[in-house]
Amino acid sequence: MRSEKIEDFTSGSTNAHRMAAKQQEISVTEFFEKNKHILGFDSRSKSLLMGIKEAVDNALDACEEAGFLPEIKVRVERLREEEEYKITVEDNGPGILHKMMPNVFGRLLYGSRFHALRQSRGQQGIGISATVMYGNISTGKPAHIESKIEGADEVAWKMDITIDTKTNRPIVTNDAAFTWEGKDHGTKVEYSTKGRYITGKQSVFEYLRNTAIVNPHARIEFQDPEGKRYIFERATEQLPPKSKEIKPHPEGMEIGDLMKYAQNTQQKTVSAFLKNDFSRITDRIAEDILTRAAVSPSAKPSSLTRDNCKAMIEAIAQVKIMAPPTDCLSPIGDTLIKKGLMHILDGMRPDYYATPVTRPPKAVNGNPFVVEAGIVYGGEIPSDEQVTILRFANRVPLLYQQGACAITKAISEVDWRRYGLEQRGGKGIPFGPAIILVHVASTKVPFTSEGKEAVASFAELQSEIEQALRLCARNLKSHLNKMERKSKTSAKFEIVQELIPAMAKKASSMLDMPMPDLSRTISKIMNVVWVDSGTKKEGQKTLIVSYTLYNYTTKERTLGLHAHLPKECVNLTLFTNPHFIGMNDDGKVTWEIRGLQPSASLKISFELKGEMADTYDADDVYVSGINPVLVMGAEALPGDWGIKGLEITESDDGVPADEDESVEEVEDLGDE
């Protein structure tokens, strides 16, 4: 028995040593080489797109960081070998230092943005080097890089790069300086890759088109394998604001994160650690947190136990902390979302661009984020299909894994039937002539994988997306209701204008009497103040706006007319109108119309000039000083953003008693 045990022990020891001898460290490049699907290179068509996506993302980031309006050229060439393509992506960015070029393109997990808490497209330092690696593996050919930095005396450099997957180090050949004619600064990446070029929703063209929507400041030129060129001109010369690096926000932080920060801090006390290593923590808030957590303010951060950190996390959840700062983020903004959608989707001739919504900043796992949403409705958008969903994260289109994305889940949770779209069963993606856009901007977008194709479903994030969608959907519903009421009243008015004059003409002919004046009769039947809006484009940057008010009531009317204009587009034609009262700092303007007689009309017109002029929706007009039930074509003024000092009153303070019944009759007739 004893000898058997010794043999078993010896045998076990031998096996353990043999197994230990086989264990070895692998490089990150070698890991991703064998797990290419994690990075998104899991099919030929997807691999082709992912490489272009990473190169374009880097180009946009570099241009914006340097303050240049991006000009990006993408070319896809089909080579003779089966399913092999040559990809070229060129930009006008600041260029890359010669000594840094090998590491940027030939080394995974090498970059400047991973530890920086600010919004950027690239976050992990994997993308472009993984693209080079995949090209090396799939074709055996090196990537060719050319770059020139700013400066009249600087020369351009070019080199070929492959990646040593065993060491995660670049192998450089053909390194040489050259004169780049006609190029002051920029970078060009050329690589060969196995792939499959497709058209449709997950194509290179669709990715670049969507990129142009949320990056309206960029000019993108694309040449497909057939030699056909597409140009997405920039819609604005306004660069997005630069995002600034910030400290982590304590809201939503995990226990392990706090323990890690506590061990790595340079602060001497826990109180100083909270105040100096996190954003929005003041002396009072730090004291409140530590009191609730029963932790001494003078304790050393390194001495914090797991229980201490757990108590501090619970205390942070109970304390009211200011929202994270927004200068670390660069959201697109309501106006530019609308501008980008209009610029790219104008060919579909949609009826309405619902006013986009940008939510206040929140935090998840200590990382600030902002959610933006927009809806396009009607026109040539198919009405018998599911709505098109445009998903974006840090201005980058997400074309794959739609079903696994928090954006899609949030859209499915909204009851779209309340807002005029069909939704079978009350859940799921709605049907109707609409395009829904959602953009998540964050210092660290919680992607489901390194492929950056879907946003993870954190409760805080999904809730914010749902709220943004509901606000945007209300704008759509309000517009649809307004158009429906206007259509009914317009149809009724056309009937009244045709029927009553025809009856009067027939009676006059039979009685051999002159035709009577029917204006007051028509007004009494209609009993509305009609606000008719109209726009006309002149050239690329001029929009002529007009409002015509018709008093189809039996009384003189006085009211205020209000609109929210893009202030940078306003010119003198607005101020010269005799009814103009004033404009505040936000571009909210007021006209005062006094004594508009029954059956009379009045016209207000002005010009908007500038690249944002066409984003103005003339239907977004409001009235005050009059019962809104009497008004067709304008809503009641929301809130109190009229001009101070404007006093508009009616002698009867709204609708007189004898008109109440008439108003009900009008509504009933409209319903019929």
Short mmCIF file of all heavy atoms in Angstrom, two decimals, residues 476-497:
data_model
loop_
_atom_site.label_atom_id
_atom_site.label_comp_id
_atom_site.label_asym_id
_atom_site.label_seq_id
_atom_site.Cartn_x
_atom_site.Cartn_y
_atom_site.Cartn_z
N LEU A 476 -42.81 64.87 -31.93
CA LEU A 476 -43.41 64.30 -33.14
C LEU A 476 -44.93 64.24 -33.02
O LEU A 476 -45.65 64.64 -33.94
CB LEU A 476 -42.85 62.90 -33.38
CG LEU A 476 -43.51 62.09 -34.51
CD1 LEU A 476 -43.35 62.79 -35.84
CD2 LEU A 476 -42.95 60.67 -34.56
N LYS A 477 -45.43 63.76 -31.88
CA LYS A 477 -46.86 63.65 -31.68
C LYS A 477 -47.54 65.01 -31.74
O LYS A 477 -48.62 65.17 -32.34
CB LYS A 477 -47.15 62.99 -30.32
CG LYS A 477 -48.63 62.80 -30.01
CD LYS A 477 -49.31 61.88 -31.01
CE LYS A 477 -50.74 61.60 -30.61
NZ LYS A 477 -51.46 60.79 -31.62
N SER A 478 -46.91 66.01 -31.12
CA SER A 478 -47.47 67.37 -31.15
C SER A 478 -47.58 67.86 -32.59
O SER A 478 -48.58 68.47 -32.98
CB SER A 478 -46.58 68.31 -30.33
OG SER A 478 -47.03 69.63 -30.43
N HIS A 479 -46.54 67.59 -33.38
CA HIS A 479 -46.56 68.01 -34.79
C HIS A 479 -47.67 67.28 -35.55
O HIS A 479 -48.42 67.91 -36.33
CB HIS A 479 -45.21 67.72 -35.43
CG HIS A 479 -45.20 67.88 -36.93
ND1 HIS A 479 -45.13 69.10 -37.55
CD2 HIS A 479 -45.28 66.94 -37.92
CE1 HIS A 479 -45.17 68.93 -38.85
NE2 HIS A 479 -45.26 67.64 -39.10
N LEU A 480 -47.79 65.97 -35.35
CA LEU A 480 -48.81 65.21 -36.06
C LEU A 480 -50.22 65.68 -35.69
O LEU A 480 -51.10 65.79 -36.55
CB LEU A 480 -48.67 63.72 -35.75
CG LEU A 480 -47.38 63.04 -36.27
CD1 LEU A 480 -47.34 61.58 -35.85
CD2 LEU A 480 -47.26 63.16 -37.78
N ASN A 481 -50.42 65.96 -34.39
CA ASN A 481 -51.73 66.48 -33.96
C ASN A 481 -52.03 67.83 -34.62
O ASN A 481 -53.15 68.09 -35.06
CB ASN A 481 -51.77 66.62 -32.44
CG ASN A 481 -51.86 65.27 -31.75
OD1 ASN A 481 -52.21 64.28 -32.36
ND2 ASN A 481 -51.52 65.24 -30.47
N LYS A 482 -51.00 68.69 -34.64
CA LYS A 482 -51.18 70.01 -35.23
C LYS A 482 -51.52 69.90 -36.72
O LYS A 482 -52.42 70.58 -37.22
CB LYS A 482 -49.91 70.84 -35.05
CG LYS A 482 -50.03 72.28 -35.52
CD LYS A 482 -48.68 72.98 -35.58
CE LYS A 482 -48.00 73.06 -34.26
NZ LYS A 482 -46.73 73.82 -34.31
N MET A 483 -50.80 69.02 -37.43
CA MET A 483 -51.06 68.85 -38.85
C MET A 483 -52.45 68.26 -39.11
O MET A 483 -53.12 68.62 -40.08
CB MET A 483 -49.98 67.95 -39.47
CG MET A 483 -48.59 68.57 -39.50
SD MET A 483 -48.54 70.14 -40.45
CE MET A 483 -48.47 71.35 -39.11
N GLU A 484 -52.88 67.35 -38.22
CA GLU A 484 -54.20 66.76 -38.39
C GLU A 484 -55.31 67.80 -38.19
O GLU A 484 -56.25 67.87 -38.98
CB GLU A 484 -54.39 65.61 -37.39
CG GLU A 484 -55.70 64.87 -37.57
CD GLU A 484 -55.86 63.73 -36.58
OE1 GLU A 484 -54.98 63.56 -35.72
OE2 GLU A 484 -56.88 63.02 -36.67
N ARG A 485 -55.16 68.62 -37.14
CA ARG A 485 -56.16 69.66 -36.91
C ARG A 485 -56.18 70.67 -38.04
O ARG A 485 -57.23 71.12 -38.50
CB ARG A 485 -55.87 70.38 -35.58
CG ARG A 485 -56.09 69.52 -34.36
CD ARG A 485 -56.16 70.39 -33.10
NE ARG A 485 -55.01 71.26 -32.96
CZ ARG A 485 -53.89 70.92 -32.32
NH1 ARG A 485 -53.78 69.71 -31.77
NH2 ARG A 485 -52.90 71.78 -32.21
N LYS A 486 -54.98 71.00 -38.50
CA LYS A 486 -54.88 71.98 -39.58
C LYS A 486 -55.51 71.43 -40.86
O LYS A 486 -56.20 72.15 -41.61
CB LYS A 486 -53.41 72.32 -39.82
CG LYS A 486 -53.17 73.60 -40.59
CD LYS A 486 -51.70 73.96 -40.55
CE LYS A 486 -51.44 75.27 -41.29
NZ LYS A 486 -50.02 75.67 -41.22
N SER A 487 -55.29 70.14 -41.12
CA SER A 487 -55.84 69.53 -42.32
C SER A 487 -57.37 69.50 -42.27
O SER A 487 -58.04 69.80 -43.27
CB SER A 487 -55.29 68.11 -42.46
OG SER A 487 -55.87 67.46 -43.55
N LYS A 488 -57.92 69.15 -41.10
CA LYS A 488 -59.38 69.11 -40.96
C LYS A 488 -59.99 70.49 -41.15
O LYS A 488 -60.98 70.67 -41.85
CB LYS A 488 -59.75 68.55 -39.59
CG LYS A 488 -59.54 67.06 -39.45
CD LYS A 488 -59.95 66.58 -38.07
CE LYS A 488 -59.80 65.07 -37.94
NZ LYS A 488 -60.18 64.60 -36.59
N THR A 489 -59.38 71.49 -40.49
CA THR A 489 -59.91 72.85 -40.60
C THR A 489 -59.76 73.38 -42.01
O THR A 489 -60.64 74.08 -42.52
CB THR A 489 -59.21 73.78 -39.60
OG1 THR A 489 -59.26 73.20 -38.30
CG2 THR A 489 -59.86 75.15 -39.56
N SER A 490 -58.65 73.04 -42.65
CA SER A 490 -58.43 73.49 -44.02
C SER A 490 -59.47 72.88 -44.96
O SER A 490 -60.01 73.57 -45.83
CB SER A 490 -57.01 73.09 -44.46
OG SER A 490 -56.78 73.49 -45.79
N ALA A 491 -59.76 71.58 -44.75
CA ALA A 491 -60.77 70.94 -45.59
C ALA A 491 -62.13 71.58 -45.38
O ALA A 491 -62.89 71.82 -46.32
CB ALA A 491 -60.82 69.45 -45.28
N LYS A 492 -62.44 71.86 -44.10
CA LYS A 492 -63.71 72.50 -43.79
C LYS A 492 -63.80 73.89 -44.44
O LYS A 492 -64.82 74.29 -45.00
CB LYS A 492 -63.86 72.61 -42.28
CG LYS A 492 -65.04 73.45 -41.82
CD LYS A 492 -64.93 73.68 -40.33
CE LYS A 492 -65.76 74.87 -39.92
NZ LYS A 492 -65.62 75.19 -38.51
N PHE A 493 -62.68 74.62 -44.36
CA PHE A 493 -62.66 75.97 -44.91
C PHE A 493 -62.88 75.96 -46.41
O PHE A 493 -63.60 76.79 -46.97
CB PHE A 493 -61.33 76.63 -44.55
CG PHE A 493 -61.24 78.06 -44.99
CD1 PHE A 493 -62.20 78.99 -44.60
CD2 PHE A 493 -60.20 78.50 -45.79
CE1 PHE A 493 -62.12 80.30 -44.99
CE2 PHE A 493 -60.11 79.82 -46.19
CZ PHE A 493 -61.07 80.73 -45.80
N GLU A 494 -62.26 74.98 -47.09
CA GLU A 494 -62.43 74.88 -48.53
C GLU A 494 -63.89 74.60 -48.89
O GLU A 494 -64.44 75.15 -49.85
CB GLU A 494 -61.53 73.77 -49.08
CG GLU A 494 -60.05 74.14 -49.07
CD GLU A 494 -59.18 72.99 -49.54
OE1 GLU A 494 -59.74 71.97 -50.00
OE2 GLU A 494 -57.95 73.10 -49.43
N ILE A 495 -64.54 73.74 -48.06
CA ILE A 495 -65.96 73.42 -48.30
C ILE A 495 -66.81 74.67 -48.10
O ILE A 495 -67.69 75.00 -48.92
CB ILE A 495 -66.42 72.29 -47.36
CG1 ILE A 495 -65.72 70.99 -47.74
CG2 ILE A 495 -67.93 72.12 -47.41
CD1 ILE A 495 -65.94 69.87 -46.76
N VAL A 496 -66.55 75.39 -47.00
CA VAL A 496 -67.33 76.59 -46.70
C VAL A 496 -67.15 77.64 -47.79
O VAL A 496 -68.11 78.28 -48.24
CB VAL A 496 -66.93 77.15 -45.32
CG1 VAL A 496 -67.52 78.54 -45.10
CG2 VAL A 496 -67.38 76.21 -44.21
N GLN A 497 -65.92 77.81 -48.24
CA GLN A 497 -65.65 78.82 -49.26
C GLN A 497 -66.31 78.49 -50.60
O GLN A 497 -66.66 79.38 -51.36
CB GLN A 497 -64.13 78.97 -49.46
CG GLN A 497 -63.49 79.92 -48.46
CD GLN A 497 -62.09 80.29 -48.91
OE1 GLN A 497 -61.32 79.45 -49.34
NE2 GLN A 497 -61.75 81.56 -48.81
#
